[in-house]
Amino acid sequence: MVDDMLRTPDAVRDAERWTAHNYHPLPVVISSAEGSWLTDVDGRRYLDCLAGYSALNFGHRHPQLIAAAHDQLDRLTLTSRAFIHDQFAVFCRELAQLCGKELVLPMNTGAEAVETAIKVARKWGYQVKGVPAGQANIVVAEGNFHGRTTTIVSFSTDADARDDFGPYTPGFTVVPYGDLDALTAAIDDHTVAVLIEPIQGEQGVVVPPEGYLPGVRRVCTERNVLFLADEIQSGLGRTGETFACAHEGVVPDMYLLGKALGGGIVPVSAVAANADVLGVLKPGQHGSTFGGNPLACAVATEVVRLLATGEFQRRSAELGERLHAGLRELLGRGLVAVRGRGLWAGLDIDPALMTGRQACERLMERGILAKDTHGSTIRLAPPLVITAEEIDHALAQLAAVLDPAASA
Ligand SMILES: Cc1ncc(COP(=O)(O)O)c(C=O)c1O
């Protein structure tokens, strides 16, 4: 097709004309998708190697999830929590069972799950632990990403996320990620929780040193502090286990879930914890009009059922081996570091070659969609339905992009 017949340039210009520039998307305009593949407005196909930042763990339009959504759309979509609907208990029960916890509190976005966890931890601190009023403190990690609310960006260490959004919410202490001594030293009698990602996604898929998560668990138990694990990006099969914490046999006091819980169809988030923690909330103290709505529950119940089969965790573990083996081959051939677990990888490109953004643009030209983060890092998080051949295809395109002769 000749260039001036393409629809993409106008569609990109239109999107920029009518929105705040709070994102810097790749110049591709998607109009349909299935499984691991996306099609743009000009009919070009791309292998999705981002999966909506892990919101599409089951691929685009998974038939079981689409069927559940259609079925629910035909019956009941919203009641608010003023009334109980028939999808609510089944979702909460099955998610609680998947998490091995007694209770669930559904919300919508990941940031709302994080806000829920912060509120519950503070209330637990005052009512159960006996922290003096207004003194509760939560320990968090440098390089964190937990969302975009004013409270959450208050403890971000990323200038873009935080600067000029003050005044900031007090009550957070930031310590280096992966440093158990620093975390232990930061805990005092007013500490109600430690909030961390078991693998830091936005930071570039940073896996903490072995023993860190069990150490956090031990210290939290010893000091009567809640361990809040933000598994919004790392959880629900992404790393080869249902939860990234499970790689080291760690069970936090609360799981924070989102992204893939909505099956790539609706925003669904939740926190899961036992009754001694979530039981501190009483009517009127927290909620959301859309949280736990019938459509969300119907889709998310099927997500939980897909995960209960173990198939997606298995695929992620097995295919993740293949992905990481292929990426390791590129170390010294354009890549300077590779991190991650399962079908989740952070790659640092040799900055002398190109930026992460340039690499993603060149990958896009070769039919692979991925996204850069922090300068020279690219994150790969394909749908867990990706095949071995598709992984090999993505690796071959990456190798070609990194080869200076090919990408000159
Ligand atoms: C670990 C983590 N927590 C929380 C969030 C916020 O989720 P949402 O964008 O749905 O608010 C994200 C989003 O990237 C995340 O990666």
Side-chain angles (χ1 to χ4, degrees):
M1 199 180 302
V2 285
D3 265 12
D4 61 4
M5 289 174 67
L6 293 176
R7 294 174 58 197
T8 296
D10 278 351
V12 168
R13 246 191 319 276
D14 248 13
E16 283 177 0
R17 164 68 182 78
W18 292 105
T19 53
H21 291 180
N22 57 330
Y23 280 89
H24 183 32
L26 290 171
V28 59
V29 183
I30 306 300
S31 60
S32 63
E34 182 129 21
S36 299
W37 290 88
L38 301 153
T39 305
D40 77 6
V41 288
D42 291 309
R44 290 173 295 214
R45 295 183 80 229
Y46 303 86
L47 182 60
D48 187 353
C49 286
L50 181 67
Y53 298 98
S54 289
L56 287 151
N57 279 2
F58 311 97
H60 294 267
R61 302 172 55 249
H62 188 288
Q64 195 171 324
L65 303 180
I66 291 292
H70 277 302
D71 187 47
Q72 193 59 40
L73 277 172
D74 288 340
R75 294 193 298 116
L76 175 73
T77 55
L78 190 66
T79 57
S80 84
R81 294 281 308 278
F83 316 126
I84 302 170
H85 62 79
D86 65 357
Q87 300 299 307
F88 190 71
V90 65
F91 164 62
C92 294
R93 182 182 66 239
E94 293 192 25
L95 180 60
Q97 287 168 347
L98 185 81
C99 295
K101 297 292 184 190
E102 292 167 356
L103 300 177
V104 155
L105 195 171
M107 297 291 280
N108 310 286
T109 62
E112 287 172 292
V114 175
E115 289 280 349
T116 303
I118 292 169
K119 286 175 71 176
V120 168
R122 286 179 170 180
K123 201 170 257 301
W124 175 88
Y126 299 127
Q127 297 195 342
V128 179
K129 182 166 174 169
V131 171
Q135 302 289 306
N137 185 62
I138 295 177
V139 178
V140 298
E142 268 172 29
N144 70 72
F145 187 88
H146 297 287
R148 301 290 195 175
T149 67
T150 47
T151 286
I152 295 171
V153 300
S154 295
F155 57 86
S156 171
T157 55
D158 176 348
D160 282 340
R162 184 176 196 273
D163 286 1
D164 293 336
F165 295 122
Y168 300 111
T169 306
F172 300 94
T173 304
V174 184
V175 296
Y177 187 63
D179 181 341
L180 188 60
D181 291 340
L183 182 132
T184 307
I187 292 177
D188 64 22
D189 290 346
H190 295 167
T191 306
V192 296
V194 169
L195 167 63
I196 51 168
E197 298 152 83
I199 293 177
Q200 287 190 328
E202 291 297 313
Q203 187 60 11
V205 194
V206 176
V207 183
E210 211 181 319
Y212 177 66
L213 296 174
V216 173
R217 175 64 281 177
R218 198 171 51 247
V219 173
C220 285
T221 304
E222 283 167 7
R223 304 293 299 274
N224 194 25
V225 163
L226 299 177
F227 182 173
L228 314 175
D230 182 344
E231 294 257 16
I232 288 166
Q233 195 165 161
S234 60
L236 308 184
R238 174 51 58 192
T239 65
E241 294 276 359
T242 305
F243 304 110
C245 282
H247 287 282
E248 293 202 66
V250 166
V251 178
D253 295 297
M254 186 185 287
Y255 291 108
L256 284 56
L257 304 172
K259 294 196 191 283
L261 194 55
I265 300 175
V266 275
V268 187
S269 68
V271 301
N274 284 340
D276 58 338
V277 176
L278 268 184
V280 299
L281 286 182
K282 299 288 178 282
Q285 296 176 347
H286 191 55
S288 151
T289 304
F290 293 97
N293 69 71
L295 182 59
C297 287
V299 171
T301 297
E302 291 307 316
V303 164
V304 172
R305 289 176 183 170
L306 289 177
L307 285 166
T309 67
E311 182 197 333
F312 294 89
Q313 297 88 323
R314 230 176 357 259
R315 289 187 71 83
S316 179
E318 285 168 17
L319 293 168
E321 293 281 325
R322 192 181 188 101
L323 174 68
H324 282 276
L327 291 172
R328 280 194 298 272
E329 299 263 306
L330 297 175
L331 282 171
R333 292 170 50 206
L335 293 186
V336 293
V338 175
R339 298 168 297 275
R341 268 209 167 114
L343 279 173
W344 201 20
L347 339 171
D348 294 341
I349 295 188
D350 182 350
L353 278 183
M354 65 193 93
T355 63
R357 172 77 186 189
Q358 286 167 330
C360 287
E361 285 169 354
R362 290 169 196 177
L363 280 169
M364 183 187 82
E365 283 157 17
R366 291 173 166 274
I368 306 288
L369 290 186
K371 193 72 173 76
D372 54 302
T373 177
H374 298 288
S376 55
T377 301
I378 299 186
R379 207 167 1 161
L380 297 182
L384 308 183
V385 296
I386 195 169
T387 64
E389 295 70 35
E390 288 164 348
I391 287 174
D392 294 346
H393 172 66
L395 287 165
Q397 300 313 309
L398 179 64
V401 162
L402 294 174
D403 177 351
S407 58

